[in-house]
Amino acid sequence: MNKKPELLAPAGDYDSLVAAVQNGADAVYFGGSAFSARGYADNFPDHNLGEAIDYAHLYGVRVYVTVNTLIKENEFPQAMDFLAELCNRGVDAVIVQDIGLLAACRSHLTQLPVHASTQMTVHNTESVKLLGQYGVKRVVLSREMSLGEIADLNDNTDMELEVFVHGALCISYSGQCLMSSIIGGRSGNRGYCAQPCRRQYSLSCDGEIVAAGYLLSPKDLCAARLIPELVAAGVDSFKIEGRMKRPEYVGGVVSIYRKLIDRCFADPTKFHVAESEIRYLEQLFNRGFTSAYLEGGTRDMMGTVSPGNQGIPIGTVVGIGRYMDRAVVFLEEDLAVGDGIVSQAGDGEKIGVIYRTGRQEKSVSGGDTIEIPFSGRLGEGDVLYRTLDSCQIKQLQQTYTSAAPQRKIPVSMRLEARLDLPLSLSVDDRDCNTVSLHSDYVVEAAKGKAASEKQLGKQLAKLGNTVFDPASISIEMDEGIFVPVGVLNDLRNDAVDLLQKKRTELYYRECSKPSLESVDSSAASNTNPLLCVAVSSVEDAEAAVAAGADVIYFAGLHMPSVDEIAIVKKQCQSYGTSLYLSTPRIIKNGDMKDLFWLLEEARECSGLLVANMGMVKILSERQIPFVTDTPLNIFNHHSCIFLKNLGARGVTASAELTLDELGKIADGCIGLECIVEGNFEVMVSEYCPLSHTSGCSDSCHEATSVLVDRKGYSFPLKTDEHCRMHLLNSRGLSMLDYLEDVIATGVSAIRIEARWESPGDIGSLVGLYRQYLDGRAGTKKMRAGKKYTTGHFYRGVL
């Protein structure tokens, strides 16, 4: 069997940290007051961040701090200073999303281990190897990977692999979702996701509504039954999601997974998961459980009926009581005052009183028929669900509120008491930490009752509410001596305090404060930007080239044929237009080999447009020219330079930047490009609502499908050759009327994202931009109206 995996727990606040540690976590992850992808969690402000790190380290629990948001140019010095503080404080690693921050960290803080966040969308071997070259110690894999894909990756790299095993799922690939950002300016990449996936939508296909409900809301992941398979796949760390959850949830989930992992390694042949253990997890919180992508499918992963906690069924309504606000319920589970319940209609109630045979009861058992007040919607035959078990919560609260910790560190104590010599005490833990102290008191001969070995040992063992447990006590002493109890107590307490301090401070480092290079503003372009156009068909390419495009990016959600590439190549050559072939943003190991033919075709063109870190590595090694696309999330000039150093000819900025922020990056990045026109993708997912409602077929690709939200906004839905869902913005971006502001940023290229437009519209649109860039455009507004948006260029994101 492979090595025992780490159990990694979330901590959104200090109580959750204590709950995680006391219930058996091997490691914890949490964020500071800034740069954390859970901006709505309490997190840890600067004044007690160090205390939290020390608390975990006292128990030998590893600490990973999340610095996993995209970093704006003006935030970069502050982010690096924060990393330096974490380095000095001895965190075991930082979890990072921004590739510019990763590069700067590796250059300036080499002592600080770095883990690549799941927000980096890592899902293939080449991406892992590239990150390994830049000193990344561990990768948090995309949730969309199956057990087989994880095993394949493990077999082909030396990287530590971290995998989510429990908690909420994102429907989009993490790091690739702009939906919250576009709808309300709250960016998931910046830690402020508003969870639009948990809202109701209707799905329309060719004008007909084929489904409605919470169509983008997944169930919760539960991989408890797959622990042996995850171990066999080579997973190094089992990660629990939940920094927004209450401490009782954290403690409860950790306690179950702790038991299961230990059970698996005690005797793999007898590994099992009891139904009561699954029930315990369900009671803590569940939207329904699924193994999601781990077992290679998505059929049972969606919770389209409700986006909230489902609880567990506890009884059935069999009537209405003589008081009309009371429900008569036949119970299948125990119930108590203080429990939370919810009806099938979604109405909730906290139980304040229970009646059984006319008498009030504090608790009742399964099999009883009871009456409870209920003000919500309820009908005979309805099932009631318990969403909160007050007894379970009280028990779990004890694990993080009790003054006496339930997790103890074994220590060995050795006392030496010799006549006419100072009292000597040594305390050792099992991590090779030793403390030795001598008292000021010199041992004297007893004038009355002499000290005994039993009495001294009993006094030494009184470690009270400390974290230490006296696993062994040895005493070497002379006969007939006197040892004052107060002296022995002080010596013991001083030794314990010193050992506690030693256990935490051994993690500390001395890391120099990073000194970042200043931005060279001469890098900004002083000429008109190139006009780039992304298209998906031969006809689209011909229209764009004829209308004056300088650069064509060719290929949509489906790979073109060699013949189609040849036609577009010839067209571009006749106009002197550069041609780059496009590659997908999601490229799993099984897909990668199918793209190698495209690399050879690219050698006959200008190069490739790439949106995947693994493809960047391949092209860099093969010295094939490339431009990087928006999915790589370029938010600062450090990220830009990182890609430039790998050979990128051009770098496309994130769609979440303002014009001012864009200009600051352009100051330090030659070849910066931005998208100024078109419907860009706000989400990419392995899950497709079309295949799950009407069945997957070739006609999916041809149908006109949209998701419509509660406000009536329609988001076009496209599928690719792997049946992945690509959701587009409800309104098209257009900066045609504000192009002067874009040009003033100093970007080297602007792009029209025209993959979804008709050839006629593409020709007209490219022609308008060409006229403007050539100084032949008039002053009349050309794209006014609610049909278009200026995106984040003026409003920005949190």
Side-chain angles (χ1 to χ4, degrees):
M1 180 174 278
N2 290 343
K3 67 179 181 181
K4 197 171 189 177
E6 167 189 270
L7 178 55
L8 175 57
D13 57 24
Y14 201 90
D15 283 344
S16 296
L17 169 66
V18 176
V21 170
Q22 292 302 322
N23 283 281
D26 298 311
V28 292
Y29 67 100
F30 52 78
S33 56
F35 312 122
S36 170
R38 286 293 181 268
Y40 294 120
D42 287 346
N43 294 310
F44 291 83
D46 296 342
H47 68 270
N48 71 351
L49 184 62
E51 179 187 351
I53 296 169
D54 285 350
Y55 175 82
H57 280 162
L58 175 60
Y59 286 90
V61 172
R62 292 176 286 278
V63 175
Y64 310 134
V65 176
T66 56
V67 192
N68 57 341
T69 60
L70 297 178
I71 311 298
K72 295 181 180 181
E73 190 75 26
N74 63 344
E75 297 171 338
F76 217 88
Q78 180 190 352
M80 288 301 295
D81 287 347
F82 182 49
L83 289 180
E85 292 175 16
L86 296 175
C87 184
N88 284 319
R89 197 71 196 202
V91 299
D92 297 87
V94 290
I95 305 172
V96 170
Q97 173 188 11
D98 193 293
I99 56 175
L101 193 66
L102 163 63
C105 187
R106 293 302 78 209
S107 297
H108 299 283
L109 295 168
T110 55
Q111 297 166 271
L112 180 61
V114 175
H115 295 175
S117 169
T118 191
Q119 292 286 118
M120 278 196 180
T121 325
V122 178
H123 53 271
N124 58 50
T125 299
E126 298 304 321
S127 295
V128 172
K129 287 182 176 179
L130 178 61
L131 292 171
Q133 291 172 7
Y134 281 84
V136 171
K137 181 181 178 183
R138 177 187 294 181
V139 169
V140 187
L141 294 176
S142 294
R143 292 175 174 91
E144 288 77 6
M145 296 189 70
S146 69
L147 288 164
E149 290 166 341
I150 295 168
D152 179 54
L153 202 156
N154 178 64
D155 290 342
N156 289 284
T157 72
D158 297 323
M159 184 73 72
E160 289 184 14
L161 304 179
E162 184 173 303
V163 170
F164 282 95
V165 297
H166 197 91
L169 289 165
C170 291
I171 191 61
S172 174
Y173 272 87
S174 294
Q176 301 302 309
C177 185
L178 298 178
M179 200 160 182
S180 174
S181 167
I182 291 299
I183 290 174
R186 293 192 279 181
S187 170
N189 284 319
R190 298 271 295 164
Y192 293 101
C193 179
Q195 295 190 313
C197 54
R198 302 296 182 189
R199 298 176 185 172
Q200 289 189 341
Y201 296 88
S202 60
L203 174 62
S204 173
C205 189
D206 289 332
E208 179 183 351
I209 295 177
V210 295
Y214 298 96
L215 302 182
L216 299 179
S217 181
K219 296 177 182 177
D220 287 347
L221 174 64
C222 178
R225 301 187 194 278
L226 297 177
I227 285 176
E229 289 84 351
L230 287 161
V231 172
V235 176
D236 295 280
S237 180
F238 287 5
K239 187 170 195 171
I240 297 167
E241 183 277 337
R243 280 193 286 152
M244 297 291 290
K245 295 290 200 307
R246 56 194 294 169
E248 295 86 357
Y249 171 88
V250 173
V253 175
V254 168
S255 70
I256 293 296
Y257 277 86
R258 177 76 280 152
K259 291 176 186 176
L260 297 179
I261 293 171
D262 292 347
R263 184 182 300 160
C264 180
F265 278 79
D267 187 348
T269 64
K270 294 183 179 179
F271 177 78
H272 68 282
V273 182
E275 287 303 319
S276 60
E277 290 168 328
I278 296 296
R279 197 78 161 173
Y280 189 89
L281 292 171
E282 288 176 330
Q283 184 62 85
L284 287 166
F285 187 96
N286 82 89
R287 297 181 177 93
F289 280 159
T290 175
S291 62
Y293 304 100
L294 288 171
E295 295 187 281
T298 62
R299 180 60 60 181
D300 189 43
M301 66 173 276
M302 300 305 294
T304 56
V305 176
S306 170
N309 182 14
Q310 292 186 6
I312 63 172
I314 52 100
T316 305
V317 177
V318 294
I320 303 299
R322 54 179 176 169
Y323 300 99
M324 297 304 292
D325 62 342
R326 291 186 191 176
V328 181
V329 182
F330 174 76
L331 290 177
E332 297 168 7
E333 299 277 346
D334 296 349
L335 195 66
V337 170
D339 288 357
I341 58 173
V342 66
S343 67
Q344 287 180 211
D347 294 333
E349 194 99 22
K350 183 176 180 180
I351 294 179
V353 61
I354 300 173
Y355 298 97
R356 185 171 67 90
T357 61
R359 297 176 58 183
Q360 290 191 22
E361 304 282 357
K362 289 185 177 180
S363 62
V364 285
S365 304
D368 288 342
T369 298
I370 62 166
E371 288 189 24
I372 51 173
F374 196 89
S375 58
R377 292 165 292 174
L378 211 57
E380 191 170 334
D382 284 358
V383 176
L384 280 179
Y385 299 82
R386 183 173 59 210
T387 54
L388 183 144
D389 183 334
S390 57
C391 180
Q392 181 189 52
I393 293 299
K394 288 174 184 175
Q395 290 174 347
L396 286 167
Q397 283 173 346
Q398 287 297 309
T399 67
Y400 68 87
T401 60
S402 174
Q406 66 180 33
R407 184 172 181 172
K408 293 281 191 175
I409 301 164
V411 293
S412 300
M413 308 177 78
R414 190 176 76 255
L415 179 72
E416 189 170 351
R418 300 296 186 186
L419 187 65
D420 297 329
L421 292 176
L423 202 61
S424 172
L425 177 64
S426 294
V427 184
D428 307 330
D429 63 24
R430 293 181 180 175
D431 298 312
C432 300
N433 298 302
T434 301
V435 169
S436 297
L437 291 179
H438 300 276
S439 70
D440 293 334
Y441 170 75
V442 176
V443 177
E444 302 171 352
K447 295 178 181 178
K449 186 177 180 182
S452 68
E453 184 175 332
K454 181 179 180 181
Q455 175 224 343
L456 295 179
K458 184 177 180 181
Q459 204 63 32
L460 285 175
K462 292 182 178 180
L463 296 181
N465 292 336
T466 71
V467 302
F468 301 114
D469 177 55
S472 68
I473 297 174
S474 64
I475 298 173
E476 296 179 15
M477 60 180 293
D478 292 336
E479 296 293 328
I481 61 172
F482 173 67
V483 178
V485 172
V487 170
L488 185 59
N489 287 346
D490 289 344
L491 188 63
R492 179 201 62 211
N493 293 342
D494 289 345
V496 165
D497 289 344
L498 194 58
L499 182 59
Q500 182 168 310
K501 186 178 181 183
K502 191 169 187 176
R503 284 182 63 87
T504 57
E505 291 185 351
L506 65 86
Y507 290 88
Y508 293 0
R509 309 182 186 96
E510 292 185 10
C511 306
S512 301
K513 189 174 182 178
S515 178
L516 300 175
E517 68 280 2
S518 58
V519 175
D520 180 10
S521 60
S522 64
S525 173
N526 294 315
T527 60
N528 263 355
L530 293 172
L531 178 57
C532 308
V533 185
V535 296
S536 60
S537 71
V538 170
E539 294 76 17
D540 294 350
E542 290 176 346
V545 170
D550 296 309
V551 178
I552 292 294
Y553 298 131
F554 180 51
L557 298 180
H558 302 268
M559 283 292 105
S561 67
V562 173
D563 290 341
E564 289 173 323
I565 291 173
I567 295 171
V568 175
K569 188 193 310 177
K570 184 176 180 180
Q571 184 77 3
C572 288
Q573 288 171 344
S574 66
Y575 279 83
T577 303
S578 298
L579 173 61
Y580 288 83
L581 305 178
S582 299
T583 59
R585 70 169 77 186
I586 306 301
I587 311 174
K588 294 199 173 181
N589 280 354
D591 306 330
M592 189 71 76
K593 62 181 182 299
D594 295 334
L595 293 173
F596 285 164
W597 69 271
L598 197 65
L599 309 190
E600 298 309 310
E601 288 291 329
R603 292 186 186 277
E604 304 299 319
C605 304
S606 300
L608 283 167
L609 177 68
V610 297
N612 183 282
M613 198 65 76
M615 187 59 73
V616 167
K617 177 179 180 292
I618 291 173
L619 299 181
S620 178
E621 291 174 345
R622 299 190 181 196
Q623 297 185 322
I624 298 175
F626 65 94
V627 173
T628 65
D629 207 351
T630 51
L632 293 182
N633 290 323
I634 304 308
F635 242 64
N636 51 69
H637 89 275
H638 299 273
S639 298
C640 182
I641 291 173
F642 174 89
L643 293 169
K644 286 283 191 174
N645 288 340
L646 285 167
R649 285 186 176 180
V651 173
T652 309
S654 165
E656 295 188 288
L657 295 170
T658 65
L659 289 172
D660 181 60
E661 291 161 351
L662 194 64
K664 290 176 181 176
I665 301 176
D667 281 346
C669 181
I670 299 172
L672 186 66
E673 180 177 325
C674 70
I675 297 176
V676 295
E677 184 82 31
N679 265 36
F680 51 83
E681 293 180 38
V682 295
M683 187 181 288
V684 58
S685 176
E686 289 289 333
Y687 166 76
C688 177
L690 281 173
S691 65
H692 282 249
T693 54
S694 54
C696 191
S697 66
D698 292 337
S699 61
C700 286
H701 309 313
E702 307 299 328
T704 300
S705 303
V706 294
L707 278 178
V708 183
D709 70 10
R710 59 186 179 182
K711 293 184 178 180
Y713 289 105
S714 297
F715 297 83
L717 188 156
K718 308 291 182 180
T719 58
D720 62 23
E721 56 195 347
H722 299 286
C723 290
R724 296 187 182 108
M725 174 186 73
H726 299 257
L727 203 61
L728 308 184
N729 190 19
S730 60
R731 290 195 292 168
L733 169 71
S734 182
M735 290 297 288
L736 183 58
D737 291 334
Y738 310 94
L739 205 50
E740 194 62 38
D741 292 346
V742 177
I743 295 171
T745 65
V747 294
S748 301
I750 59 173
R751 186 195 309 176
I752 298 172
E753 188 57 64
R755 298 175 214 256
W756 327 112
E757 305 289 341
S758 67
D761 290 340
I762 290 172
S764 300
L765 190 57
V766 174
L768 289 173
Y769 273 87
R770 184 77 272 163
Q771 288 178 36
Y772 194 104
L773 292 175
D774 292 344
R776 294 182 286 112
T779 58
K780 182 181 178 182
K781 294 284 185 181
M782 292 176 280
R783 302 287 273 179
K786 293 184 178 180
K787 184 179 178 181
Y788 302 101
T789 174
T790 56
H792 289 301
F793 282 120
Y794 294 103
R795 70 174 183 172
V797 296
L798 289 175

